[in-house]
Amino acid sequence: MVDQTPLIGDEGGTMKRGQGSACCDSKRGIITVNAIALVLTAIGMAMLSVGYNDPDLEKKVVDEASMDWLNKNYVPFMIVNGIAIVINLIAIYGASIYNIFLVLLGAVYIIVRLVYTLVIESQFPNRKDIMDIHWFDIVWPIIWALYMLYWHVLFIFEVKKGIMSPQTYPREKHSCCCSV
């Protein structure tokens, strides 16, 4: 079923859909949040690699427990983040071809990565228990994951309802305040 709403409103202006943030359609939303996540993940991996391969790292790390934690988690961190980059690219591609299954894969991975992040944070050395974690280490990943999930779920909903498709995208594209 395809949404039959006209491409241009009866008043002659663009059709605005109040769907949240950034004044964008769900396709642009997915592309934007996944591109941001991809760049931030690549920067994080590069920074950790540079630090991890520093020959003086053991002198700079204050305690042995932190060094052990880093040695134990470096490879899994790189694998998880390498997969994240691939999944971000898949979700961007999925949005560009209106494929809900590729976008759903991105949504599922957001949840998996959030759980992984929270588990890793809870295992960081020098923390007595889960309550000893700085609030930002928990709150920020949850907020970011929810924001990313919003765009993925909205896109899937709109594609299933026929609102977002190659045929209707010209209308959706013009519903953005950022379109020209």
Side-chain angles (χ1 to χ4, degrees):
M1 178 176 141
V2 175
D3 184 5
Q4 298 300 321
T5 310
L7 294 178
I8 304 295
D10 294 336
E11 299 80 35
T14 60
M15 307 223 11
K16 296 288 182 191
R17 295 176 308 127
Q19 69 203 21
S21 65
C23 295
C24 282
D25 58 79
S26 59
K27 179 180 173 182
R28 285 187 193 182
I30 286 181
I31 292 169
T32 302
V33 296
N34 280 284
I36 291 168
L38 191 147
V39 169
L40 292 176
T41 300
I43 290 170
M45 290 175 73
M47 289 174 58
L48 184 61
S49 289
V50 168
Y52 186 74
N53 293 310
D54 182 350
D56 296 327
L57 179 64
E58 291 192 26
K59 296 175 192 167
K60 294 176 183 175
V61 174
V62 179
D63 59 88
E64 193 173 316
S66 294
M67 193 65 209
D68 290 342
W69 182 88
L70 181 59
N71 285 330
K72 182 178 103 177
N73 289 295
Y74 177 77
V75 172
F77 177 84
M78 289 303 201
I79 291 169
V80 165
N81 285 291
I83 292 169
I85 288 175
V86 171
I87 296 291
N88 290 137
L89 291 169
I90 289 171
I92 290 169
Y93 178 70
S96 66
I97 65 168
Y98 306 94
N99 185 308
I100 61 172
F101 298 108
L102 296 179
V103 173
L104 181 61
L105 177 66
V108 168
Y109 192 73
I110 291 166
I111 295 167
V112 168
R113 187 160 181 207
L114 175 63
V115 170
Y116 172 80
T117 299
L118 297 177
V119 167
I120 289 297
E121 283 299 330
S122 70
Q123 295 175 354
F124 196 76
N126 301 325
R127 293 194 170 135
K128 298 170 204 70
D129 56 31
I130 191 81
M131 299 310 291
D132 196 27
I133 298 173
H134 191 273
W135 70 271
F136 191 77
D137 295 336
I138 298 292
V139 174
W140 174 246
I142 292 172
I143 290 171
W144 179 244
L146 290 174
Y147 184 68
M148 287 186 71
L149 279 172
Y150 165 78
W151 289 110
H152 288 72
V153 170
L154 179 65
F155 179 83
I156 292 167
F157 172 79
E158 288 183 347
V159 169
K160 287 182 102 172
K161 290 286 189 183
I163 296 169
M164 182 65 66
S165 70
Q167 295 78 24
T168 62
Y169 190 68
R171 176 193 65 222
E172 299 306 313
K173 183 177 173 183
H174 287 288
S175 71
C176 289
C177 62
C178 52
S179 65
V180 179

